[in-house]
Amino acid sequence: MDDLNRLTIAAARDGLRDKSFTSAELTEACLGAIDGADALRAFVHKTPEIARAQAAQADAQIAQGAAADLCGVPIGIKDLFCTEGVASQAASRILDGFVPQYESSVTAQLRGQGAVMLGKLNMDEFAMGSSNETSVYGAAVNPWRRAGSDTPLTPGGSSGGSAAAVAADLCLAATGTDTGGSIRQPAAFTGITGLKPTYGRCSRWGIIAFASSLDQAGPMTRDVRDAAIMLGAMAGHDPRDSTSVDIPVPDFEAALTGDVRGKRIGIPNEYRIEGMPDEIAKLWEEGTSMLREAGAEIVEISLPHTKYALPAYYVIAPAEASSNLARYDGVRFGHRAALDAGDGITEMYEKTRAEGFGAEVQRRVMVGTYVLSAGFYDAYYNRARKVRALIKKDFDDVFAAGVDAILTPATPSAAFGLGEMSDADPVRMYLNDVFTVTVNLAGLPAISVPAGRDAEGLPLGLQLIGRPFEEGPLLNAAYSLERSAGFVAKPSKWW
Ligand code: GLN
């Protein structure tokens, strides 16, 4: 069978079970695709030996019957997840040479179910960014291009390598993490599906921390069914993460009936931002019509504190990051700067951190320490926390009024060119997250579904936001939208 690397997880699972092909064959197809795609800079640490050994084990397991859904399915892992014996660098120079002795809970679960790890995926440094351009490895490149142009585009960020790899058929699915949009925005930029689960649904243990009250791992897949399968494999209570929630993990795939009749879908007025491109407004309209035609009830809603979300996020996230990143001091992990005679411990810290962190990470550490400093704590950090509570209350009120899910655009534009925004004022880059950060501040689940293309042929995504811990119904609404939108386009291969 040709092109095994293009299969969905669901199709691979079925084909493996009925012995149409083996995991070894499927894995070779992916390894071949990866080796032919260095121009995308998606995989930054390849692990073919591990993949082949895991595929052989999976084939043995499948031969015995009783294999889990992901058994034998080759996936990629974002470089933010610690993987035992395999470099885990968070795309930062400061973690150069760091090889964890332990496995993150999420990747351990995936491994336990027989998933095959192909390698580690590119990302923005410490997951700070929206374009993958802050990576020490250099930016991952979007497999999509504008019609008639060979300008390299961003796959989005921070999970840009994950998105590029899934969109270019290098792996069947990938893990991502989302602190302010890092699963959903790259998914939208590359025509794939990205799900940020409810805060607490997946364990954060062993995932290199960015902003701990916002970080959440989730699946990046070809379609909604695969997101449901993969979430089931990643989710679950973990006593090692005190914020992971001890509730059962439902069968998310079983929730995909496609029936949304009578469901109330909220359209938030405040997301009609000034200067929204016509294409995005039109896509949003079309998505609304699709859900209405599928039998959902469309209601206008108000989330009045939306406009404060981005500023609050860019106080809270750097504050937490500055504290989390204090551990990179040249002593415990990775890189240590070369020292001059007479340098003491202070010089060692300073030189290591100055060399090890890139410009965006340094900016966040400085903003973070500033907003947490004695004189400014109340004015910035505490005020942002209060705003966060109000943003969450906006959502609580809407859900209490009977809204089942909220439909918004995923991003304010299609993928932009590499370099186009990184040279500009950083706030322009931060504006990319305008539709996604509210969800992290409120701890909610949300999914980006490819729903259309812009005038230049680039994919565009719609976002559905769900009630806490109701990923099943959220995935089902997304499934309905996916079926109506019928997005099947693929990037044409240039790499
Ligand atoms: N782009 C956002 C930021 O730079 C979100 C990143 C993320 O979700 N990890 O902070």
Side-chain angles (χ1 to χ4, degrees):
M1 213 172 145
D2 284 343
D3 294 341
L4 290 175
N5 50 306
R6 302 181 63 136
L7 294 177
T8 59
I9 295 177
R13 168 189 62 186
D14 299 347
L16 287 166
R17 283 184 187 165
D18 65 25
K19 313 276 189 311
S20 305
F21 46 82
T22 62
S23 173
E25 289 164 339
L26 183 57
T27 299
E28 286 310 323
C30 291
L31 291 173
I34 291 169
D35 278 337
D38 287 344
L40 299 178
R41 233 179 273 118
F43 276 88
V44 291
H45 299 288
K46 301 179 188 175
T47 56
E49 300 81 14
I50 294 177
R52 289 190 176 109
Q54 290 178 337
Q57 266 177 24
D59 281 328
Q61 178 85 38
I62 293 163
Q64 287 171 14
D69 283 344
L70 277 168
C71 189
V73 174
I75 59 172
I77 303 294
K78 187 177 182 179
D79 200 33
L80 204 61
F81 292 76
C82 285
T83 43
E84 190 182 349
V86 176
S88 305
Q89 242 184 280
S92 180
R93 180 154 188 236
I94 210 154
L95 280 173
D96 197 9
F98 173 59
V99 178
Q101 317 249 319
Y102 49 87
E103 185 79 19
S104 83
S105 295
V106 162
T107 49
Q109 273 184 224
L110 291 166
R111 194 158 90 169
Q113 291 169 46
V116 170
M117 179 172 78
L118 296 163
K120 304 298 283 288
L121 291 161
N122 207 348
M123 53 179 282
D124 280 294
E125 185 178 7
F126 284 105
M128 299 174 192
S130 307
S131 64
N132 219 294
E133 290 166 291
T134 70
S135 167
V136 71
Y137 311 111
V141 183
N142 196 326
W144 290 86
R145 286 177 160 179
R146 296 178 183 126
S149 152
D150 56 8
T151 304
L153 304 178
T154 174
S158 64
S159 312
S162 303
V166 175
D169 297 324
L170 311 186
C171 52
L172 275 59
T175 61
T177 64
D178 192 312
T179 303
S182 278
I183 287 177
R184 292 160 286 156
Q185 183 252 24
F189 277 10
T190 55
I192 68 164
T193 301
L195 171 66
K196 180 231 170 260
T198 313
Y199 185 77
R201 181 59 99 177
C202 295
S203 171
R204 289 180 299 106
W205 193 85
I207 299 174
I208 297 168
F210 164 10
S212 308
S213 77
L214 302 161
D215 298 343
Q216 184 61 201
M220 303 182 69
T221 54
R222 302 217 207 292
D223 65 13
V224 173
R225 179 172 302 280
D226 282 6
I229 297 171
M230 181 103 163
L231 177 63
M234 295 171 70
H237 178 238
D238 178 7
R240 291 178 298 188
D241 171 5
S242 62
T243 62
S244 113
V245 175
D246 192 3
I247 54 168
V249 177
D251 181 344
F252 297 114
E253 192 181 4
L256 306 182
T257 60
D259 184 1
V260 293
R261 282 172 302 173
K263 295 287 174 202
R264 301 185 86 188
I265 306 290
I267 308 294
N269 197 21
E270 292 76 9
Y271 282 59
R272 288 180 221 287
I273 52 166
E274 216 185 284
M276 182 190 283
D278 289 345
E279 292 177 321
I280 302 286
K282 186 165 154 275
L283 180 81
W284 194 12
E285 279 294 315
E286 286 166 359
T288 308
S289 307
M290 288 174 206
L291 287 167
R292 186 186 291 116
E293 274 154 34
E297 184 194 340
I298 306 296
V299 288
E300 294 281 330
I301 58 167
S302 174
L303 298 166
H305 297 93
T306 300
K307 66 171 178 289
Y308 304 114
L310 210 52
Y313 172 85
Y314 276 99
V315 170
I316 291 169
E320 294 186 20
S322 71
S323 162
N324 273 326
L325 270 54
R327 73 191 73 183
Y328 305 108
D329 56 5
V331 178
R332 286 168 288 187
F333 309 92
H335 179 74
R336 176 185 294 178
L339 300 181
D340 294 323
D343 280 352
I345 188 134
T346 306
E347 289 77 14
M348 196 275 287
Y349 291 154
E350 287 173 356
K351 288 184 179 174
T352 297
R353 289 169 67 83
E355 277 176 16
F357 291 140
E360 182 61 28
V361 172
Q362 294 192 18
R363 178 180 297 127
R364 306 262 182 135
V365 169
M366 286 192 283
V367 169
T369 44
Y370 179 81
V371 300
L372 290 175
S373 61
F376 299 103
Y377 191 92
D378 279 330
Y380 294 106
Y381 183 65
N382 262 343
R383 185 169 298 177
R385 289 201 316 162
K386 287 177 190 158
V387 168
R388 179 180 190 172
L390 292 171
I391 289 167
K392 178 163 185 311
K393 185 172 178 302
D394 284 353
F395 283 106
D396 290 347
D397 290 348
V398 161
F399 291 135
V403 166
D404 294 291
I406 296 166
L407 181 74
T408 78
T411 57
S413 74
F416 47 88
L418 288 169
E420 254 169 43
M421 287 223 202
S422 53
D423 303 337
D425 171 358
V427 173
R428 262 192 75 203
M429 188 71 93
Y430 298 169
L431 283 169
N432 255 285
D433 308 324
V434 60
F435 299 133
T436 48
V437 293
T438 51
V439 166
N440 301 73
L441 290 168
L444 300 171
I447 187 166
S448 170
V449 180
R453 299 215 266 167
D454 77 351
E456 295 174 304
L458 296 178
L460 296 172
L462 285 171
Q463 170 175 248
L464 278 162
I465 305 169
R467 295 162 173 256
F469 298 105
E470 293 195 13
E471 287 90 351
L474 173 67
L475 282 156
N476 186 43
Y479 184 59
S480 167
L481 191 63
E482 171 183 80
R483 291 210 296 196
S484 307
F487 184 98
V488 288
K490 285 281 205 177
S492 29
K493 191 164 185 299
W494 53 264
W495 57 92

